[in-house]
Amino acid sequence: MRTPVVMILGMVLAPCGLLLTLTGTLTPGWRLVKGFLDQPVDVVLYQGLWDMCREQSSSERQCGQPDDLGYFAAEPVRVARGLMIASLAATALGLLLATVGVRCWQDEPHFALAGLSGVVLFAAGLLSLIPVSWYNHFLADRAVLPAQSSPVTVQVGYSLVLGYLGSCLLLLGGFSLALSFAPWCAERCRSCRKAPPGRARRSSISTVYIDWPEPALTPAIKYYSDGQHRPRPVQLGAASQRKAGFPMPRPPPKAYSNPVEVLDGEKAPESHHGVSSRSTRSCGSALPCDSDL
C-alpha cells in the first residue's frame, strides 16, 4: 500500500516547522532597538529570549550585553521561554509518533497512531504561536517590554518571523497527519455494523400496546379502490385455486396408405422366345402402355 498523501505532507511540513521554531527560539532577534542618543547611529541592539547582542557596522557583533532595564524579567519574555520549550518537546514527541505511525517501511500504516501524532503536532504549533503573537502584541509597549524612550525605535526581529513561520508549518503538518483518523474511523464503523446485536431492549413500563380493530369498509372502497375493479374474496379464491389432475397422452399421428397397386398394369408375362411382347400385345390395363406413345 502506498503512503497516503496527507501523511507525506505532514512528514515534510512538521520537520520544517521544528527547524524554524528551534532557530527562532535560540537566536537573539525577537526585537531590534536602534536610535540611541549617546551611541553611534549605526548601533543596533538585538533582543531575544536568552541573550542580547550589540551590532555596529564598524565592529563585530557583541553578545552578552547587560540588561539594565529588566528586559528578561518581563512577563512576555518569561512566558515565551516556557511555551517555546514546551512546543519543541511536543514537536519532537509528535515526530516520533508520526515515524512509528506512518511506517514507510511496511505495507500498512498505523492510522490511529499517525492521527495521534497529528494532534500532538497541532498542539505544538499552538504552543509556539501563542508566545510569538503575545510578544508581537506588546512589542512597542515600553511599559511591558522595557526599552529606552524616544527617539529610540523598536522593530520586529527575524526570530519573531521565523517563529511565526514555524508555528504555521506545525499547524499545517499536524492537521494533515490528523486526517489519518478518517480511515481508522471508517474501519471502526464497519466493524461495529458487522458486530452481532446484543440483547433485545426491554420495553418501558409506561409503554402500552393497544390492538385497535380494523374499521369495516364499504364494498365500493373495498373492492373498487384506485378506480380498478377487484373481485370479491370468494371470486379471487376460486380464480386463484389450483387445478388438480394431469394431462392425458395424445395418440401418435397415423400415416396415409393407398390400397390400390399402381404398378399392376405394367407387369407383362415373358414370351417363350425370350423377347418381350410389350410392343405387339395389347395393353389390358387402364394405365397407358408403351404402344400408345
Side-chain angles (χ1 to χ4, degrees):
M1 177 181 179
R2 294 183 178 180
T3 305
V5 179
V6 291
M7 292 186 179
I8 297 176
L9 187 62
M11 292 298 294
V12 171
L13 295 179
C16 296
L18 174 62
L19 181 61
L20 293 176
T21 305
L22 179 62
T23 305
T25 303
L26 299 179
T27 53
W30 285 58
R31 188 171 72 166
L32 275 68
V33 183
K34 59 183 179 179
F36 300 98
L37 294 177
D38 54 347
Q39 296 184 13
V41 181
D42 56 349
V43 173
V44 179
L45 184 64
Y46 292 91
Q47 296 177 339
L49 298 180
W50 314 95
D51 196 4
M52 286 192 300
C53 297
R54 180 178 181 273
E55 184 177 358
Q56 190 177 0
S57 59
S58 60
S59 61
E60 297 180 356
R61 175 178 293 190
Q62 300 175 1
C63 295
Q65 298 295 317
D67 183 17
D68 300 332
L69 301 177
Y71 167 79
F72 293 117
E75 186 176 4
V77 177
R78 291 187 287 106
V79 172
R81 286 179 177 179
L83 291 180
M84 294 302 288
I85 293 177
S87 174
L88 293 175
T91 304
L93 177 61
L95 287 177
L96 179 61
L97 294 176
T99 304
V100 179
V102 173
R103 296 191 299 182
C104 301
W105 60 89
Q106 294 186 4
D107 295 336
E108 289 290 336
H110 199 294
F111 292 102
L113 197 57
L116 180 61
S117 67
V119 174
V120 175
L121 289 173
F122 192 85
L126 290 178
L127 289 176
S128 61
L129 184 62
I130 291 173
V132 170
S133 302
W134 192 17
Y135 188 96
N136 187 33
H137 179 70
F138 293 106
L139 182 69
D141 193 348
R142 303 175 191 271
V144 179
L145 291 174
Q148 288 84 353
S149 59
S150 182
V152 176
T153 59
V154 293
Q155 297 178 0
V156 176
Y158 63 91
S159 299
L160 205 62
V161 178
L162 294 179
Y164 267 119
L165 293 177
S167 302
C168 294
L169 291 181
L170 286 177
L171 291 175
L172 292 177
F175 179 76
S176 180
L177 283 172
L179 294 178
S180 303
F181 275 125
W184 178 73
C185 293
E187 184 66 25
R188 290 293 301 272
C189 292
R190 284 195 296 266
S191 61
C192 292
R193 291 172 184 172
K194 294 180 181 179
R199 295 185 303 174
R201 184 180 178 182
R202 297 178 58 185
S203 60
S204 176
I205 300 177
S206 60
T207 304
V208 179
Y209 298 96
I210 301 176
D211 295 334
W212 296 97
E214 296 183 0
L217 301 177
T218 59
I221 299 177
K222 192 172 183 180
Y223 305 114
Y224 296 90
S225 60
D226 300 334
Q228 298 179 1
H229 173 68
R230 295 183 181 180
R232 295 178 179 272
V234 179
Q235 301 177 3
L236 184 62
S240 62
Q241 185 177 4
R242 188 175 181 180
K243 296 181 180 181
F246 54 89
M248 297 295 293
R250 295 182 179 181
K254 296 181 179 181
Y256 175 77
S257 59
N258 189 3
V260 180
E261 181 64 33
V262 296
L263 299 178
D264 289 344
E266 294 187 2
K267 294 180 180 180
E270 296 181 356
S271 61
H272 297 283
H273 301 284
V275 180
S276 175
S277 60
R278 182 180 299 175
S279 60
T280 58
R281 190 178 58 87
S282 61
C283 182
S285 174
L287 297 175
C289 300
D290 295 341
S291 60
D292 297 335
L293 299 177

